[in-house]
Amino acid sequence: MYGNWKRIAACLLVSAFGLILFAGCMWETKSRLTDEAVEQENIGSGVEDGSPKEVVLWYYWETESHQRALEQVIKDYNNSQDGIRVSTKYVPFADFKKQLSIGASADELPDLAIIDSPDHLSYAAMGIFAELTDKVDVSGYREDVVGSCMLDGALYGVPFGVNCLGLFYNREMLEKAGCKAPATWEELKETASSLTKGNITGFAFSALQGEEGTFNFLPWLWSASSGPEGMELQAWERALSFVQELVESGVMSRECMNWTQGDVMYQFISGNVAMMVNGSWQIPTIEREAPDFPWEAILIPCDKQYASVIGGENFAIIRGGNEEGALQFLEYVTAEPQLGRLLKAFGYFYPDQEKASIQYAQQEAMGGFLEALEYAKVRGPLVSWPDVSDEVSSAFNQVITGEKEPKEAAKEARQAIEGILRGEGEP
């Protein structure tokens, strides 16, 4: 029994139990594709002699600024050469997995896809991704992040960028209430209670059922652990009980079960929520839409240890498509200055930790998340991660709704995950 949990713990913490989409990665505000982006999708069929060969890219980023940044890089690439024409298709995160699965069955897949990192191996195991071993250089990347692209010792993708979660707080609200920024769970509850009044709730995080909710719950689970595994029954019960306390005390609304991370962010900058757990990718949106908003970001308050979770996406080339053209564009988009421009627009870090440190050393806001990144762990990597994630999000949703008590939900979730791992062939 404990062998199973040591195995999943190693996956959850060392390479660790990183989304989305929602983080991370990314889940955000509703899609507002520009006319130019829609037109871009229809450029170049490549059917005429001498015409460019088409590379179709699927992505799920919903934030307008992210879409614009990607489309600009694609436009620059298309204008830089005549042999390849890259076009895009936006697929909502909620539909992305289903569309890939259906596309695999119907032989209607893109040439290149941007995948939520914890889901990568489940598709690699289906055989739909081209092997990239010895075709791309990821030697300087974080080992745990690259692990999300590795299956049976072979590389089936390239990390795009990483992000992580931290605690945002409204500085003016805390100052008026005479509160300091919380560093522990108990301080978080006390501060959130002091800030909850009228239409303002003290604290929020996205508790959607699905990967987005799992992404936001994992730091609490890992923080409650007394060791590196993070999967003891006591840690599950402690983390689920803490979430239950936040909701039942009224400092966190049950509406969080219906809020995406983008929704939580807008509640925060609208002054309806005093503190939130959210990701570094929200910073460009906050700075653009609420430039004078008095916010700061710190580590997520801890129980037994500090914890965060890595989000972000990977590039994957589809096997049997225009592999050569997709690889050429992949080499372009992961090189400088293109990658640096995209990561800055997204609020992401380089998957290369040394570059990440240099990139954000002088940026105070991102510097807070750079510290959180030191405590952040990836989700998985597991071929069966989607099933594991479902069990995690179901457990805390059942606790929030009052359907189950923390002790019962914890026990059932762990048993279900053990069964999933046995089915995957874990010892």
Side-chain angles (χ1 to χ4, degrees):
M1 181 71 71
Y2 283 101
N4 287 334
W5 284 106
K6 288 182 179 179
R7 178 65 182 92
I8 188 174
C11 290
L12 294 172
L13 301 182
V14 178
S15 282
F17 197 171
L19 284 272
I20 359 83
L21 228 237
F22 318 204
C25 51
M26 257 319 305
W27 310 276
E28 281 273 1
T29 55
K30 298 300 181 183
S31 173
R32 296 169 293 213
L33 280 169
T34 63
D35 291 340
E36 178 183 350
V38 173
E39 291 172 3
Q40 178 89 20
E41 180 179 346
N42 298 317
I43 290 176
S45 64
V47 296
E48 298 177 5
D49 291 340
S51 63
K53 293 184 178 180
E54 186 178 25
V55 169
V56 178
L57 167 66
W58 284 10
Y59 70 93
Y60 59 73
W61 289 315
E62 296 178 339
T63 305
E64 183 181 6
S65 60
H66 295 178
Q67 294 177 347
R68 289 182 182 276
L70 177 63
E71 294 297 340
Q72 184 60 56
V73 168
I74 290 174
K75 182 178 180 180
D76 292 344
Y77 178 72
N78 287 341
N79 291 337
S80 71
Q81 44 74 49
D82 298 323
I84 298 170
R85 203 70 169 173
V86 179
S87 62
T88 61
K89 179 180 179 180
Y90 164 74
V91 179
F93 180 73
D95 300 328
F96 205 87
K97 297 177 186 179
K98 180 173 66 176
Q99 288 298 315
L100 273 180
S101 298
I102 293 174
S105 300
D107 196 25
E108 296 178 353
L109 289 169
D111 302 291
L112 185 65
I114 297 174
I115 308 291
D116 193 21
S117 58
D119 294 329
H120 198 108
L121 290 190
S122 65
Y123 291 105
M126 292 170 59
I128 66 174
F129 294 160
E131 183 180 345
L132 301 179
T133 308
D134 299 326
K135 294 182 179 180
V136 294
D137 181 13
V138 294
S139 59
Y141 288 18
R142 286 179 57 135
E143 184 177 349
D144 55 355
V145 174
V146 174
S148 66
C149 302
M150 299 292 297
L151 181 65
D152 297 331
L155 183 69
Y156 288 93
V158 177
F160 160 66
V162 298
N163 54 60
C164 63
L165 295 176
L167 180 78
F168 290 77
Y169 65 89
N170 185 315
R171 184 175 59 251
E172 289 185 357
M173 283 188 179
L174 265 69
E175 290 175 353
K176 289 180 180 179
C179 298
K180 64 178 182 178
T184 67
W185 284 13
E186 291 304 313
E187 290 177 0
L188 176 64
K189 285 194 298 185
E190 293 174 3
T191 302
S193 178
S194 298
L195 297 170
T196 299
K197 54 184 177 180
N199 295 325
I200 301 173
T201 53
F203 178 68
F205 68 82
S206 173
L208 282 173
Q209 181 148 354
E211 185 62 33
E212 193 165 358
T214 296
F215 185 70
N216 280 264
F217 176 72
L218 288 176
W220 308 106
L221 176 61
W222 292 335
S223 183
S225 172
S226 58
E229 289 83 4
M231 288 298 297
E232 311 98 304
L233 181 59
Q234 294 86 348
W236 273 90
E237 292 177 359
R238 171 68 173 147
L240 290 171
S241 295
F242 181 65
V243 173
Q244 183 185 58
E245 291 171 15
L246 293 174
V247 173
E248 292 188 350
S249 65
V251 303
M252 181 171 126
S253 172
R254 279 191 173 86
E255 281 300 306
C256 287
M257 294 180 64
N258 302 315
W259 290 350
T260 67
Q261 291 170 122
D263 295 332
V264 172
M265 183 270 295
Y266 278 110
Q267 291 291 332
F268 177 66
I269 64 175
S270 296
N272 299 323
V273 169
M275 298 182 291
M276 68 170 180
V277 164
N278 223 315
S280 56
W281 66 87
Q282 303 288 16
I283 293 175
T285 301
I286 294 174
E287 292 180 338
R288 183 181 66 254
E289 300 196 16
D292 298 323
F293 190 80
W295 67 275
E296 291 187 24
I298 57 174
L299 297 175
I300 298 173
C302 72
D303 184 33
K304 293 183 178 179
Q305 58 184 338
Y306 284 113
S308 186
V309 57
I310 288 178
E313 290 79 29
N314 301 331
F315 287 103
I317 294 176
I318 305 301
R319 184 168 61 88
N322 185 355
E323 295 184 29
E324 182 180 350
L327 181 60
Q328 289 183 38
F329 175 69
L330 181 60
E331 292 172 347
Y332 174 86
V333 77
T334 56
E336 297 299 342
Q338 295 79 232
L339 182 58
R341 294 206 316 262
L342 284 173
L343 295 179
K344 182 177 181 180
F346 279 47
Y348 278 26
F349 294 94
Y350 281 95
D352 183 312
Q353 197 161 7
E354 182 178 351
K355 287 185 177 180
S357 299
I358 296 173
Q359 180 184 9
Y360 294 114
Q362 304 303 318
Q363 299 183 29
E364 184 176 354
M366 292 300 290
F369 281 94
L370 186 62
E371 182 181 7
L373 201 60
E374 297 178 7
Y375 300 96
K377 305 169 182 67
V378 299
R379 294 158 285 173
L382 289 168
V383 170
S384 57
W385 174 258
D387 295 328
V388 172
S389 177
D390 286 344
E391 295 298 335
V392 175
S393 67
S394 292
F396 71 78
N397 268 263
Q398 289 167 343
V399 168
I400 292 175
T401 61
E403 181 180 345
K404 292 180 180 177
E405 288 299 312
K407 187 173 183 179
E408 178 186 9
K411 181 179 179 181
E412 291 184 0
R414 291 179 75 253
Q415 289 177 340
I417 292 172
E418 285 181 342
I420 293 169
L421 294 180
R422 284 195 295 269
E424 189 171 315
E426 296 293 336

